Structure formats: structure tokens, C-alpha cells
Amino acid sequence: MTRTLSFILSVAVVAGITSSSTSSLVPDGEAVEEAAAEDLKDLLFTSMHNIVSLNDLVTDLSGKIAQLTISSAENTAEIKTSVAEAKLAKASLSLEIDNLKKEISEISEELKDIKDKQDEGPWKCYHYSAEDKAWMASNGATEGEMCERVPGGKYTEGRNELTPACGGCWSCQD
């Protein structure tokens, strides 16, 4: 901006347009009206002022373009970060889903195994008789041994998923 203004002022000085002298505008000694010289001088100064104003506008516009470029670069970086985070979250969720599918499959297999082993017979709770308790005491047997010596007896310790309808009993009979 300063170079442009200096150049215009230099042109004005070379042309002889200053506030103190307008006589150099007179070619071959002819007289030029004072008003015409003033108009020319005003036109030159107005042009210089417009050039300076345009230069200021170009500078402001360049600054705004630079700010937009920086803002755009920051937004692009934020978007790339968000996309990377989303991809990482997706991969993590996919892994978690695969693990859950694996667990579901294992549980399904366990349930199938239990169902396959399940005896649908008419299970019922077996209550020990006085004779059973005497046998256990005289033979030093465990409760499980006493239960399973009874025909159709199964000692479950209360885990009756294999002996439905036996309820919470520990000794069941089919």
C-alpha cells in the first residue's frame, strides 16, 4: 500500500501537480485556467484515495480468505478425527458383538446338552424312610449312596435341571 501511494505521489510531483504549483501544466507557455488545473489535481487525489481504499479492501479480503482457509483446515482435521473415532468405536462394537454371539452360541450348546441329558420321566422327590436312614448309619454310607441305591434314585444336591418336576429335593426318584 505504501509503495503504491509513493508511486502516485511521485507521478504527481513529476507531472507538477502540487498544491503550490500548477504552472508546469501550461504547455508552451499557454495559460491554463486555474479551475481546470484544480479539477485535474482533485481527480488525481481522488484516484489516489480510491487506490488506497481498494488496497485496504484487498488486504481485508486476503485476511478473511486466510482465516477461512485455516478454519476449513481445522474443520477437516476435526472431521477426520471424528471419522477415525467412529471407525474405532465400530470396530470395538463389532468385536463385542462377536464375543456376545460366541457366548450365546456356547450357552445354546450348554442348554442343548442339558436338554439332551434331561430325563423327562415322572421324577418326584424321594423322602428317606427310617429303614433308609438305618441302612446309611449301619453302612457308613453317604446320602448320595443311600439315594442312588433306591430303584430309580438320583442324587442331585438340588440341581434338578436334569430331573424336572423333582423341585428342590436332593434325592429324586423316577
Side-chain angles (χ1 to χ4, degrees), residues 122-150:
W123 290 102
K124 62 184 180 209
C125 190
Y126 178 75
H127 298 283
Y128 303 129
S129 66
E131 186 180 300
D132 292 329
K133 291 177 184 176
W135 179 86
M136 186 170 84
S138 65
N139 290 301
T142 65
E143 192 175 335
E145 292 170 331
M146 180 181 61
C147 175
E148 293 193 0
R149 81 174 186 80
V150 174

PDB file of all heavy atoms in Angstrom, residues 122-150:
ATOM      1  N   PRO A 122     -41.184 -89.394  35.039  1.00  0.00           N
ATOM      2  CA  PRO A 122     -42.024 -88.828  36.095  1.00  0.00           C
ATOM      3  C   PRO A 122     -41.244 -88.654  37.399  1.00  0.00           C
ATOM      4  O   PRO A 122     -41.456 -89.367  38.379  1.00  0.00           O
ATOM      5  CB  PRO A 122     -43.146 -89.872  36.250  1.00  0.00           C
ATOM      6  CG  PRO A 122     -42.510 -91.158  35.852  1.00  0.00           C
ATOM      7  CD  PRO A 122     -41.493 -90.805  34.798  1.00  0.00           C
ATOM      8  N   TRP A 123     -40.297 -87.740  37.402  1.00  0.00           N
ATOM      9  CA  TRP A 123     -39.461 -87.509  38.585  1.00  0.00           C
ATOM     10  C   TRP A 123     -40.295 -86.967  39.732  1.00  0.00           C
ATOM     11  O   TRP A 123     -41.211 -86.178  39.543  1.00  0.00           O
ATOM     12  CB  TRP A 123     -38.328 -86.522  38.279  1.00  0.00           C
ATOM     13  CG  TRP A 123     -37.283 -87.078  37.373  1.00  0.00           C
ATOM     14  CD1 TRP A 123     -37.135 -86.831  36.062  1.00  0.00           C
ATOM     15  CD2 TRP A 123     -36.267 -87.998  37.721  1.00  0.00           C
ATOM     16  NE1 TRP A 123     -36.091 -87.530  35.541  1.00  0.00           N
ATOM     17  CE2 TRP A 123     -35.522 -88.262  36.556  1.00  0.00           C
ATOM     18  CE3 TRP A 123     -35.896 -88.654  38.896  1.00  0.00           C
ATOM     19  CZ2 TRP A 123     -34.430 -89.122  36.521  1.00  0.00           C
ATOM     20  CZ3 TRP A 123     -34.804 -89.504  38.864  1.00  0.00           C
ATOM     21  CH2 TRP A 123     -34.091 -89.739  37.692  1.00  0.00           C
ATOM     22  N   LYS A 124     -39.924 -87.438  40.916  1.00  0.00           N
ATOM     23  CA  LYS A 124     -40.574 -86.930  42.116  1.00  0.00           C
ATOM     24  C   LYS A 124     -39.552 -86.940  43.243  1.00  0.00           C
ATOM     25  O   LYS A 124     -38.523 -87.618  43.167  1.00  0.00           O
ATOM     26  CB  LYS A 124     -41.791 -87.768  42.469  1.00  0.00           C
ATOM     27  CG  LYS A 124     -41.466 -89.199  42.783  1.00  0.00           C
ATOM     28  CD  LYS A 124     -42.719 -90.006  43.028  1.00  0.00           C
ATOM     29  CE  LYS A 124     -42.241 -91.429  43.326  1.00  0.00           C
ATOM     30  NZ  LYS A 124     -43.118 -92.438  42.972  1.00  0.00           N
ATOM     31  N   CYS A 125     -39.847 -86.186  44.238  1.00  0.00           N
ATOM     32  CA  CYS A 125     -38.952 -86.090  45.382  1.00  0.00           C
ATOM     33  C   CYS A 125     -39.012 -87.419  46.157  1.00  0.00           C
ATOM     34  O   CYS A 125     -40.100 -87.954  46.400  1.00  0.00           O
ATOM     35  CB  CYS A 125     -39.414 -84.932  46.264  1.00  0.00           C
ATOM     36  SG  CYS A 125     -38.241 -84.513  47.555  1.00  0.00           S
ATOM     37  N   TYR A 126     -37.833 -87.963  46.488  1.00  0.00           N
ATOM     38  CA  TYR A 126     -37.795 -89.205  47.267  1.00  0.00           C
ATOM     39  C   TYR A 126     -37.482 -88.833  48.715  1.00  0.00           C
ATOM     40  O   TYR A 126     -36.461 -88.217  49.008  1.00  0.00           O
ATOM     41  CB  TYR A 126     -36.730 -90.169  46.724  1.00  0.00           C
ATOM     42  CG  TYR A 126     -36.636 -91.430  47.533  1.00  0.00           C
ATOM     43  CD1 TYR A 126     -37.610 -92.415  47.417  1.00  0.00           C
ATOM     44  CD2 TYR A 126     -35.584 -91.630  48.431  1.00  0.00           C
ATOM     45  CE1 TYR A 126     -37.542 -93.574  48.181  1.00  0.00           C
ATOM     46  CE2 TYR A 126     -35.509 -92.785  49.184  1.00  0.00           C
ATOM     47  CZ  TYR A 126     -36.489 -93.739  49.064  1.00  0.00           C
ATOM     48  OH  TYR A 126     -36.424 -94.890  49.814  1.00  0.00           O
ATOM     49  N   HIS A 127     -38.376 -89.209  49.613  1.00  0.00           N
ATOM     50  CA  HIS A 127     -38.192 -88.929  51.039  1.00  0.00           C
ATOM     51  C   HIS A 127     -37.653 -90.195  51.710  1.00  0.00           C
ATOM     52  O   HIS A 127     -38.207 -91.285  51.528  1.00  0.00           O
ATOM     53  CB  HIS A 127     -39.531 -88.517  51.677  1.00  0.00           C
ATOM     54  CG  HIS A 127     -40.083 -87.270  51.065  1.00  0.00           C
ATOM     55  ND1 HIS A 127     -39.599 -86.031  51.360  1.00  0.00           N
ATOM     56  CD2 HIS A 127     -41.077 -87.081  50.155  1.00  0.00           C
ATOM     57  CE1 HIS A 127     -40.268 -85.116  50.674  1.00  0.00           C
ATOM     58  NE2 HIS A 127     -41.173 -85.742  49.917  1.00  0.00           N
ATOM     59  N   TYR A 128     -36.575 -90.021  52.454  1.00  0.00           N
ATOM     60  CA  TYR A 128     -35.936 -91.175  53.096  1.00  0.00           C
ATOM     61  C   TYR A 128     -36.857 -91.759  54.173  1.00  0.00           C
ATOM     62  O   TYR A 128     -37.466 -91.046  54.951  1.00  0.00           O
ATOM     63  CB  TYR A 128     -34.609 -90.786  53.735  1.00  0.00           C
ATOM     64  CG  TYR A 128     -33.627 -90.155  52.760  1.00  0.00           C
ATOM     65  CD1 TYR A 128     -33.009 -88.941  53.048  1.00  0.00           C
ATOM     66  CD2 TYR A 128     -33.325 -90.776  51.552  1.00  0.00           C
ATOM     67  CE1 TYR A 128     -32.114 -88.371  52.157  1.00  0.00           C
ATOM     68  CE2 TYR A 128     -32.435 -90.213  50.672  1.00  0.00           C
ATOM     69  CZ  TYR A 128     -31.826 -89.010  50.971  1.00  0.00           C
ATOM     70  OH  TYR A 128     -30.950 -88.458  50.096  1.00  0.00           O
ATOM     71  N   SER A 129     -36.850 -93.073  54.167  1.00  0.00           N
ATOM     72  CA  SER A 129     -37.623 -93.787  55.205  1.00  0.00           C
ATOM     73  C   SER A 129     -36.700 -94.039  56.399  1.00  0.00           C
ATOM     74  O   SER A 129     -35.483 -93.862  56.319  1.00  0.00           O
ATOM     75  CB  SER A 129     -38.152 -95.115  54.653  1.00  0.00           C
ATOM     76  OG  SER A 129     -37.068 -95.981  54.369  1.00  0.00           O
ATOM     77  N   ALA A 130     -37.287 -94.513  57.491  1.00  0.00           N
ATOM     78  CA  ALA A 130     -36.487 -94.848  58.675  1.00  0.00           C
ATOM     79  C   ALA A 130     -35.531 -95.991  58.335  1.00  0.00           C
ATOM     80  O   ALA A 130     -34.385 -96.043  58.814  1.00  0.00           O
ATOM     81  CB  ALA A 130     -37.412 -95.236  59.836  1.00  0.00           C
ATOM     82  N   GLU A 131     -35.995 -96.905  57.473  1.00  0.00           N
ATOM     83  CA  GLU A 131     -35.159 -98.028  57.040  1.00  0.00           C
ATOM     84  C   GLU A 131     -33.940 -97.534  56.266  1.00  0.00           C
ATOM     85  O   GLU A 131     -32.825 -98.013  56.458  1.00  0.00           O
ATOM     86  CB  GLU A 131     -36.001 -98.958  56.175  1.00  0.00           C
ATOM     87  CG  GLU A 131     -35.310-100.228  55.765  1.00  0.00           C
ATOM     88  CD  GLU A 131     -36.219-101.105  54.899  1.00  0.00           C
ATOM     89  OE1 GLU A 131     -37.294-101.507  55.365  1.00  0.00           O
ATOM     90  OE2 GLU A 131     -35.823-101.346  53.744  1.00  0.00           O
ATOM     91  N   ASP A 132     -34.140 -96.491  55.350  1.00  0.00           N
ATOM     92  CA  ASP A 132     -33.029 -95.907  54.582  1.00  0.00           C
ATOM     93  C   ASP A 132     -32.005 -95.270  55.522  1.00  0.00           C
ATOM     94  O   ASP A 132     -30.791 -95.467  55.368  1.00  0.00           O
ATOM     95  CB  ASP A 132     -33.541 -94.827  53.620  1.00  0.00           C
ATOM     96  CG  ASP A 132     -34.399 -95.397  52.495  1.00  0.00           C
ATOM     97  OD1 ASP A 132     -34.168 -96.541  52.082  1.00  0.00           O
ATOM     98  OD2 ASP A 132     -35.291 -94.660  52.019  1.00  0.00           O
ATOM     99  N   LYS A 133     -32.470 -94.554  56.489  1.00  0.00           N
ATOM    100  CA  LYS A 133     -31.570 -93.863  57.424  1.00  0.00           C
ATOM    101  C   LYS A 133     -30.787 -94.877  58.256  1.00  0.00           C
ATOM    102  O   LYS A 133     -29.600 -94.689  58.534  1.00  0.00           O
ATOM    103  CB  LYS A 133     -32.369 -92.922  58.324  1.00  0.00           C
ATOM    104  CG  LYS A 133     -32.922 -91.741  57.557  1.00  0.00           C
ATOM    105  CD  LYS A 133     -33.771 -90.850  58.456  1.00  0.00           C
ATOM    106  CE  LYS A 133     -34.392 -89.722  57.651  1.00  0.00           C
ATOM    107  NZ  LYS A 133     -35.284 -88.886  58.434  1.00  0.00           N
ATOM    108  N   ALA A 134     -31.432 -95.991  58.636  1.00  0.00           N
ATOM    109  CA  ALA A 134     -30.753 -97.038  59.400  1.00  0.00           C
ATOM    110  C   ALA A 134     -29.682 -97.700  58.532  1.00  0.00           C
ATOM    111  O   ALA A 134     -28.568 -97.980  58.996  1.00  0.00           O
ATOM    112  CB  ALA A 134     -31.769 -98.075  59.902  1.00  0.00           C
ATOM    113  N   TRP A 135     -30.018 -97.957  57.251  1.00  0.00           N
ATOM    114  CA  TRP A 135     -29.038 -98.555  56.319  1.00  0.00           C
ATOM    115  C   TRP A 135     -27.822 -97.650  56.179  1.00  0.00           C
ATOM    116  O   TRP A 135     -26.682 -98.096  56.202  1.00  0.00           O
ATOM    117  CB  TRP A 135     -29.696 -98.789  54.956  1.00  0.00           C
ATOM    118  CG  TRP A 135     -28.724 -99.371  53.944  1.00  0.00           C
ATOM    119  CD1 TRP A 135     -28.441-100.682  53.765  1.00  0.00           C
ATOM    120  CD2 TRP A 135     -27.906 -98.645  53.034  1.00  0.00           C
ATOM    121  NE1 TRP A 135     -27.490-100.848  52.786  1.00  0.00           N
ATOM    122  CE2 TRP A 135     -27.141 -99.581  52.317  1.00  0.00           C
ATOM    123  CE3 TRP A 135     -27.730 -97.298  52.751  1.00  0.00           C
ATOM    124  CZ2 TRP A 135     -26.219 -99.230  51.336  1.00  0.00           C
ATOM    125  CZ3 TRP A 135     -26.812 -96.957  51.774  1.00  0.00           C
ATOM    126  CH2 TRP A 135     -26.073 -97.908  51.075  1.00  0.00           C
ATOM    127  N   MET A 136     -28.064 -96.330  56.012  1.00  0.00           N
ATOM    128  CA  MET A 136     -26.970 -95.365  55.846  1.00  0.00           C
ATOM    129  C   MET A 136     -26.076 -95.372  57.094  1.00  0.00           C
ATOM    130  O   MET A 136     -24.848 -95.405  56.983  1.00  0.00           O
ATOM    131  CB  MET A 136     -27.539 -93.966  55.598  1.00  0.00           C
ATOM    132  CG  MET A 136     -26.484 -92.938  55.273  1.00  0.00           C
ATOM    133  SD  MET A 136     -27.156 -91.360  54.715  1.00  0.00           S
ATOM    134  CE  MET A 136     -27.486 -90.550  56.250  1.00  0.00           C
ATOM    135  N   ALA A 137     -26.669 -95.417  58.268  1.00  0.00           N
ATOM    136  CA  ALA A 137     -25.905 -95.382  59.515  1.00  0.00           C
ATOM    137  C   ALA A 137     -25.113 -96.677  59.706  1.00  0.00           C
ATOM    138  O   ALA A 137     -23.937 -96.643  60.088  1.00  0.00           O
ATOM    139  CB  ALA A 137     -26.847 -95.163  60.688  1.00  0.00           C
ATOM    140  N   SER A 138     -25.717 -97.813  59.413  1.00  0.00           N
ATOM    141  CA  SER A 138     -25.030 -99.085  59.642  1.00  0.00           C
ATOM    142  C   SER A 138     -23.937 -99.350  58.610  1.00  0.00           C
ATOM    143  O   SER A 138     -22.983-100.065  58.889  1.00  0.00           O
ATOM    144  CB  SER A 138     -26.028-100.250  59.670  1.00  0.00           C
ATOM    145  OG  SER A 138     -26.624-100.406  58.398  1.00  0.00           O
ATOM    146  N   ASN A 139     -24.054 -98.763  57.404  1.00  0.00           N
ATOM    147  CA  ASN A 139     -23.053 -98.986  56.352  1.00  0.00           C
ATOM    148  C   ASN A 139     -22.054 -97.833  56.231  1.00  0.00           C
ATOM    149  O   ASN A 139     -21.142 -97.900  55.415  1.00  0.00           O
ATOM    150  CB  ASN A 139     -23.744 -99.200  55.011  1.00  0.00           C
ATOM    151  CG  ASN A 139     -24.465-100.523  54.952  1.00  0.00           C
ATOM    152  OD1 ASN A 139     -23.848-101.577  55.121  1.00  0.00           O
ATOM    153  ND2 ASN A 139     -25.765-100.485  54.738  1.00  0.00           N
ATOM    154  N   GLY A 140     -22.237 -96.773  57.017  1.00  0.00           N
ATOM    155  CA  GLY A 140     -21.329 -95.620  56.923  1.00  0.00           C
ATOM    156  C   GLY A 140     -21.389 -94.978  55.547  1.00  0.00           C
ATOM    157  O   GLY A 140     -20.390 -94.457  55.038  1.00  0.00           O
ATOM    158  N   ALA A 141     -22.583 -95.035  54.935  1.00  0.00           N
ATOM    159  CA  ALA A 141     -22.757 -94.536  53.565  1.00  0.00           C
ATOM    160  C   ALA A 141     -23.077 -93.033  53.571  1.00  0.00           C
ATOM    161  O   ALA A 141     -23.519 -92.477  54.567  1.00  0.00           O
ATOM    162  CB  ALA A 141     -23.883 -95.295  52.879  1.00  0.00           C
ATOM    163  N   THR A 142     -22.857 -92.436  52.419  1.00  0.00           N
ATOM    164  CA  THR A 142     -23.224 -91.022  52.255  1.00  0.00           C
ATOM    165  C   THR A 142     -24.683 -90.943  51.843  1.00  0.00           C
ATOM    166  O   THR A 142     -25.301 -91.938  51.440  1.00  0.00           O
ATOM    167  CB  THR A 142     -22.370 -90.351  51.168  1.00  0.00           C
ATOM    168  OG1 THR A 142     -22.676 -90.969  49.913  1.00  0.00           O
ATOM    169  CG2 THR A 142     -20.894 -90.431  51.471  1.00  0.00           C
ATOM    170  N   GLU A 143     -25.218 -89.731  51.902  1.00  0.00           N
ATOM    171  CA  GLU A 143     -26.606 -89.521  51.497  1.00  0.00           C
ATOM    172  C   GLU A 143     -26.780 -89.848  50.016  1.00  0.00           C
ATOM    173  O   GLU A 143     -27.786 -90.431  49.610  1.00  0.00           O
ATOM    174  CB  GLU A 143     -27.006 -88.063  51.778  1.00  0.00           C
ATOM    175  CG  GLU A 143     -28.479 -87.800  51.659  1.00  0.00           C
ATOM    176  CD  GLU A 143     -28.874 -86.381  52.062  1.00  0.00           C
ATOM    177  OE1 GLU A 143     -28.156 -85.739  52.851  1.00  0.00           O
ATOM    178  OE2 GLU A 143     -29.913 -85.922  51.563  1.00  0.00           O
ATOM    179  N   GLY A 144     -25.785 -89.504  49.195  1.00  0.00           N
ATOM    180  CA  GLY A 144     -25.837 -89.799  47.767  1.00  0.00           C
ATOM    181  C   GLY A 144     -25.880 -91.297  47.498  1.00  0.00           C
ATOM    182  O   GLY A 144     -26.639 -91.780  46.653  1.00  0.00           O
ATOM    183  N   GLU A 145     -25.074 -92.073  48.242  1.00  0.00           N
ATOM    184  CA  GLU A 145     -25.058 -93.529  48.073  1.00  0.00           C
ATOM    185  C   GLU A 145     -26.401 -94.126  48.495  1.00  0.00           C
ATOM    186  O   GLU A 145     -26.913 -95.035  47.839  1.00  0.00           O
ATOM    187  CB  GLU A 145     -23.932 -94.145  48.900  1.00  0.00           C
ATOM    188  CG  GLU A 145     -22.555 -93.792  48.386  1.00  0.00           C
ATOM    189  CD  GLU A 145     -21.434 -94.188  49.341  1.00  0.00           C
ATOM    190  OE1 GLU A 145     -21.673 -94.218  50.572  1.00  0.00           O
ATOM    191  OE2 GLU A 145     -20.326 -94.462  48.847  1.00  0.00           O
ATOM    192  N   MET A 146     -26.980 -93.580  49.577  1.00  0.00           N
ATOM    193  CA  MET A 146     -28.266 -94.082  50.043  1.00  0.00           C
ATOM    194  C   MET A 146     -29.355 -93.795  49.003  1.00  0.00           C
ATOM    195  O   MET A 146     -30.169 -94.665  48.694  1.00  0.00           O
ATOM    196  CB  MET A 146     -28.651 -93.416  51.366  1.00  0.00           C
ATOM    197  CG  MET A 146     -29.983 -93.905  51.901  1.00  0.00           C
ATOM    198  SD  MET A 146     -30.463 -93.122  53.440  1.00  0.00           S
ATOM    199  CE  MET A 146     -30.580 -91.418  52.979  1.00  0.00           C
ATOM    200  N   CYS A 147     -29.349 -92.583  48.429  1.00  0.00           N
ATOM    201  CA  CYS A 147     -30.378 -92.207  47.454  1.00  0.00           C
ATOM    202  C   CYS A 147     -30.292 -93.073  46.207  1.00  0.00           C
ATOM    203  O   CYS A 147     -31.310 -93.553  45.714  1.00  0.00           O
ATOM    204  CB  CYS A 147     -30.222 -90.734  47.094  1.00  0.00           C
ATOM    205  SG  CYS A 147     -31.351 -90.173  45.798  1.00  0.00           S
ATOM    206  N   GLU A 148     -29.084 -93.290  45.721  1.00  0.00           N
ATOM    207  CA  GLU A 148     -28.931 -93.985  44.449  1.00  0.00           C
ATOM    208  C   GLU A 148     -29.054 -95.504  44.581  1.00  0.00           C
ATOM    209  O   GLU A 148     -29.123 -96.214  43.582  1.00  0.00           O
ATOM    210  CB  GLU A 148     -27.621 -93.560  43.788  1.00  0.00           C
ATOM    211  CG  GLU A 148     -27.714 -92.086  43.389  1.00  0.00           C
ATOM    212  CD  GLU A 148     -26.619 -91.621  42.455  1.00  0.00           C
ATOM    213  OE1 GLU A 148     -25.744 -92.415  42.069  1.00  0.00           O
ATOM    214  OE2 GLU A 148     -26.671 -90.424  42.093  1.00  0.00           O
ATOM    215  N   ARG A 149     -29.137 -96.061  45.806  1.00  0.00           N
ATOM    216  CA  ARG A 149     -29.382 -97.499  45.971  1.00  0.00           C
ATOM    217  C   ARG A 149     -30.866 -97.800  45.802  1.00  0.00           C
ATOM    218  O   ARG A 149     -31.245 -98.931  45.542  1.00  0.00           O
ATOM    219  CB  ARG A 149     -28.843 -98.008  47.304  1.00  0.00           C
ATOM    220  CG  ARG A 149     -29.724 -97.761  48.485  1.00  0.00           C
ATOM    221  CD  ARG A 149     -29.135 -98.456  49.715  1.00  0.00           C
ATOM    222  NE  ARG A 149     -29.996 -98.386  50.856  1.00  0.00           N
ATOM    223  CZ  ARG A 149     -31.055 -99.167  51.087  1.00  0.00           C
ATOM    224  NH1 ARG A 149     -31.387-100.100  50.251  1.00  0.00           N
ATOM    225  NH2 ARG A 149     -31.757 -99.034  52.180  1.00  0.00           N
ATOM    226  N   VAL A 150     -31.699 -96.752  45.922  1.00  0.00           N
ATOM    227  CA  VAL A 150     -33.140 -96.910  45.751  1.00  0.00           C
ATOM    228  C   VAL A 150     -33.401 -97.063  44.250  1.00  0.00           C
ATOM    229  O   VAL A 150     -32.823 -96.340  43.440  1.00  0.00           O
ATOM    230  CB  VAL A 150     -33.886 -95.668  46.310  1.00  0.00           C
ATOM    231  CG1 VAL A 150     -35.363 -95.747  46.017  1.00  0.00           C
ATOM    232  CG2 VAL A 150     -33.605 -95.489  47.779  1.00  0.00           C
TER     233      VAL A 150
END
